[in-house]
Amino acid sequence: MKHLFVLFLLLGASFCSLAQRAQPAEAPKDLPELKARIQEVMEQEQIPGLMLAIATKDSVLFAGGFGEANLQTRVKVTAQTQFRLGSITKNFTALGILHLVHAGKLRLSDKLHDLAPEVPFQNAWEGTNPVRVVHLLEHTAGFEDVYLNKAFNFSGQDLHGLAAVQPFQKQLVSRWRPGERMAYSNADYIVLGYLIEKLAKQSWDTYLSQQLLQPLGMARTNFALHLKASAPQAQGYVMKQGRAVPVPLFVMLGNGADGALNSTAEDMARFIRFYLNDWQINGAPWLPSSYLQDMETVHSTLASRLGMRTGYGFGNHTSPLPHNLIFHGHRGAVVGFNAAFQYSRKLGVGYALAVNGGFNGARIEQLVAEYVTRNAPAPTLPAVVPLASEAVAPYLGFYQPSNPIQQRFAFLERLLGGAQLAQAGNALVLTRGRGRLDTLVQMSSSLFRNPQQASPVVTLGTDAEGVKTIILEDGAYYQQASLASLRLQQGLLLLGASALLGAVLAGIWWLGQAACRQLRWQELPVRLVPLLATLTLVVALSRLLRPEEDFFAFATVNATTLAIYLGTLLFAGLAGVEVLLLWRQWSTLSSRWTKSVLVFMTLGLGYLASWLLMHGLIGVRVWTW
């Protein structure tokens, strides 16, 4: 598991990385076979509908749909059915910024403070490392991502201009030097949308419609925040207890520059060909090709300064597809929809797809990726460079993740997501998470690749504070740390979890004794408070850690958020009550076994309550996050 809170990325991240999946199966040989295999996956994964566009520089190979846009009305998906494409919007927003750069309205190096001093952001390094436009484009400003309580607008009033940025003030805080680490943040693009509005003197979506959508002929594409239930619009679904539940039409909070795109297979085929033809529209360049090259290249991170050129560029992310072929594009997700847009100018092919429910669609994207790359030659692998053992030696050891998307959950990433770097002959071995192994061979002093991959996937370097770092091509950023310290924390938490389990088992045992009259009822409180505390914590955390049960609940005070707030508060209170009860009744407890069990449970509850309090998870008011 990459992150216990991966569902918080629904407005930004999306399909599983194809580079991290198992070896691909045999690619579909032709379009009919691809269609048949897509239908099979849709049935297996209960996906209601799919829009798909596959195009080359010269033609559209396929633009159409599969399944149903609406299960209730039985409307089929067609090439003109609109799907919500989520964070693919960021690619369009970045294009708007580049258009303004070309028009001389701003520069990528411009400081945010100079362009928009009214934007309420904080950066402790502003004097030496100011937040610049390029940092917003590449998610390197250090801002947090938007949590679910700020994902949806329930006010009934649309937000415009600066008012659309202000709800995210808590996220607009640089957590490290801007231009050091990449951490995906929807807030970055909400700010970029505001900059477009300020400099273009019109709404960001109107500007993009006039400057991009209309010239491309994308007549059925828009950035509407308000959608109407109608035949052209696909209905989104989430899976609950094995059935597809319709997602209510919702309005995104903010200006939508991070995820409001709605489009069709037909229009996305045009967009793919726009990229494959180097941004030519009717034979004329929309912008000089140098802008496109810049869009596909990372500029502002520590990894880029060490030689890494792939990763997250200007709203444009690098993805290794089957056979380790490099594609560019973006993926997206909003509640009820998952989408992908990928292209390779080198191969002259690309695709766009979206599903409106079921599982996340990664298997379908895998099939499409295998199909479009089936005849592509594998990249030529560079010669293996002998490992510089002495230079690498200081980097060997344990590392912890250090670029959390959500800062409040960074402690969980550090606790569960460490990495170990070791030498194995002429290669390095990077072990991550649950034992995933990456064998790395050296390309240069700081760059390393997989033996089967031509481009670098890992960078080794030292940050401004002199801390050794490992940076992956997907932006994951690790800092060297003490493994002993981590093991101590994990051990203490394991004892705390054992105390919770003991509270359940012992509580049930003592209840049975009381039912059989082997224990007086007045002796139960000190024995059952740990059980009650455990149950309240389980209820609270199950609601907090499973937002998919009700994505829309976190923005308001309701049964779900009150269960989290009161449950965590009650857990801490009951842990304190148990200390008091045990102290008062200690002399009445005759059994040494009972005393030992109660002491163990009390200490465990106390430690867990203190640990949760330290990390802000006692009395959690998620509606204020």
Side-chain angles (χ1 to χ4, degrees), residues 570-581:
L570 188 58
F571 170 74
L574 289 172
V577 167
E578 179 63 12
V579 172
L580 182 61
L581 286 175

Side-chain angles (χ1 to χ4, degrees), residues 366-410:
Q366 182 81 13
L367 280 173
V368 175
E370 290 166 2
Y371 172 72
V372 300
T373 60
R374 68 194 185 282
N375 297 322
T380 302
L381 299 178
V384 175
V385 177
L387 185 67
S389 300
E390 291 186 9
V392 166
Y395 291 91
L396 303 180
F398 177 72
Y399 289 75
Q400 286 185 318
S402 302
N403 61 334
I405 291 174
Q406 288 285 341
Q407 191 62 34
R408 67 181 68 254
F409 302 125

